[in-house]
Amino acid sequence: MDSQAHALTTRAVHAGKDDLTDAGLHAVPLDLSTTYPSRDVAAEAARLDAFAAGYDDGGPPVYARAANTTVRRFEHALAELEGAEACVAFASGMAALSAVLLARVAAGLGHVVAVRPLYGTTDHLLTSGLLGNGVTFATAAEAASAVTAATGLVVVETPANPTLSEVDIRALAAACAPVPLLVDNTFATPALQRPLDHGAAISVHSATKYLGGHGDVMGGAVACSEEFARALRQVRFVTGGVLDPRAAHQLHRGLATLPVRMRAQSDGAARLARRLAAHPAVRRVHYPGLDAQARPAGQMSGGGAMVSFEVAGDAAALIGAVRLITPAVSLGSVDSLIQHPASISHHIMGPASRAEAGISPDLVRLSVGLEDAEDLWADLSAALDASLK
Ligand SMILES: *Cc1c(COP(=O)(O)O)cnc(C)c1O
C-alpha cells in the first residue's frame, strides 16, 4: 500500500469528526431536530435568507430542510475524501442527479451531452426531459462536438453501469471545457478514483451503494465547488430532497470502512473475473484491467468490485440458480448481488436505447461482496452450468 492509500484509509476513519474529542464525544451525535429554537427573530430571518441563497455557514439550521448538523458532518467527510471544496447530500442518488440537472436548467443551460452507458434511471431522466432538459448522447471522443451554446453539463459514468467501460476523465473534461463535467463515481468511490483530481467539476454518488455498504440505507451526494454547491443547496431547499439524519449517520459510519471494503471486494471481483473468462458458459467478461485494452492511466487505483459478463446460455436461469449470491438489483453491499440489467436496472430505457448503449440482453451484472472468493465461485460456476441446460 502506498502512502496515499494510507492517508486515505486514515482520513476515511477520521473525516468529519475532528471536533469530537474536544467536545468530549466519541461517536458522531445524531441530530433529530426538525426545528431549531431562537429568541432572536431578526437573526432567524437573516439566516433564512442566506439558506435560500444556498449559503451554509455551519450555524444553527433554523429548520431541518435548510440544514442538519449530522448531515453536514457526512458532507464534510465526503468532500474531504473526494478532494472537493464542498459536498451536498440528498435523499437518494437520483435526487442528487435531479438537483444538478435542475440547477443547470434554472441557469438557462439545460442541454446535456451524455456518454452512454449510464445507470438506467439516469438515462431515463435525461431522455425523458421530465425536468426540462435536452440531451445529446455521444461517444467520449465525439462529446466535444455535441456541445452547443446551451450545454450546461457533460455527464459520464466511469466505470459505467452496467458494462464497466471506462472513460478518460481528464481528456473528456479538457475537450468539453468550459462546460462542467459530471462523473458518476458510484462504482469506483473515492477509495479508488477522485474525479475532481482529473479535471471533473462534479462527482456524484448513489450513496445507497458502496458508501453505505450494507444495503440498508439510501442516500445521494454531490461533491463539487462551493459555488456550485450553493446552486444545489438552493434547489434542495425548495424541492426538499434532503438526506435523513439517521441515514447520514449510517453513511458516515460506512465511510470509515470504505477503503478496506473496496480493497477486499475488488480483490474478490478480480479473481472472479479471471475465473469467469475461462468458463465455457461465459462469452465475454467486462472488468477494468482484465484484458489488454488500454485504460486511462493513473485514473483508478484498482478494478473495483463490479463484474459483468455475457452468457452463452440463459441469463434468467443463471440468476434463478444462485444460492449464496443474492438475486437482487442494487450493488455495493457486503454481500454479493447478481441481476439482469435488461430486466431490472436498465429495463426502463427500453431495448433500442439499451442496444445503443451496448447493453446486451445476455449481460449479467455481479456486485462482489466480502464473501470468500472460492465460496462465491462454487455458487457461480454451479449456476453457470445450470444456465446451459
Ligand atoms: C443506483 C445508481 C444511481 C441511483 O441512485 P439511487 O440511490 O438508487 O437513487 C445512480 N447512478 C448509479 C451509477 C447507480 O448505480
Side-chain angles (χ1 to χ4, degrees), residues 188 245 306 383:
M306 299 299 296

Side-chain angles (χ1 to χ4, degrees), residues 92-94 119 122 157 161 184 186-187 206 208-209 218-219 331:
S92 68
M94 290 317 301
Y119 173 61
T122 305
E157 288 179 11
N161 187 352
D184 186 324
T186 299
F187 272 32
S206 169
T208 315
K209 315 292 170 55
M218 280 207 100
L331 59 111

Side-chain angles (χ1 to χ4, degrees), residues 196-360:
L196 274 56
D197 287 354
H198 305 289
I202 301 162
S203 174
V204 169
H205 283 277
S206 169
T208 315
K209 315 292 170 55
Y210 289 104
L211 303 190
H214 295 72
D216 55 6
V217 57
M218 280 207 100
V222 184
C224 58
S225 68
E226 171 56 25
E227 188 188 355
F228 191 60
R230 284 201 284 272
L232 293 175
R233 291 189 204 106
Q234 287 184 47
V235 171
R236 189 179 61 177
F237 186 68
V238 295
T239 58
V242 293
L243 181 64
D244 183 87
R246 296 169 188 86
H249 196 265
Q250 268 174 281
L251 292 172
H252 198 169
R253 174 195 288 217
L255 291 183
T257 55
L258 177 67
V260 175
R261 282 186 282 112
M262 284 310 286
R263 215 176 302 132
Q265 291 179 221
S266 297
D267 186 55
R271 283 174 193 228
L272 289 179
R274 286 192 295 271
R275 292 280 189 91
L276 283 164
H279 196 285
V282 176
R283 280 200 284 110
R284 186 174 170 202
V285 180
H286 306 262
Y287 184 74
L290 181 68
D291 47 29
Q293 225 173 301
R295 300 181 59 206
Q299 183 166 291
M300 203 184 165
S301 62
M306 299 299 296
V307 184
S308 63
F309 52 98
E310 280 139 37
V311 291
D314 184 354
L318 164 66
I319 288 162
V322 291
R323 288 296 173 265
L324 176 64
I325 300 167
T326 306
V329 74
S330 198
L331 59 111
S333 184
V334 289
D335 62 320
S336 297
L337 307 177
I338 196 163
Q339 65 106 22
H340 184 225
S343 301
I344 312 184
S345 63
H346 294 71
H347 185 70
I348 197 166
M349 294 167 65
S353 292
R354 276 197 301 278
E356 273 177 45
I359 304 166
S360 155

Side-chain angles (χ1 to χ4, degrees), residues 91-116:
S92 68
M94 290 317 301
L97 282 160
S98 299
V100 173
L101 211 51
L102 284 171
R104 298 317 279 161
V105 169
L109 296 165
H111 177 249
V112 177
V113 173
V115 180
R116 275 174 165 158

Side-chain angles (χ1 to χ4, degrees), residues 58-116:
V62 182
Y63 186 61
R65 186 164 23 76
N68 171 277
T69 62
T70 304
V71 173
R72 266 185 197 146
R73 280 184 188 279
F74 167 65
E75 290 174 335
H76 292 160
L78 188 56
E80 185 178 327
L81 299 187
E82 286 275 348
E85 264 175 27
C87 170
V88 185
F90 293 88
S92 68
M94 290 317 301
L97 282 160
S98 299
V100 173
L101 211 51
L102 284 171
R104 298 317 279 161
V105 169
L109 296 165
H111 177 249
V112 177
V113 173
V115 180
R116 275 174 165 158

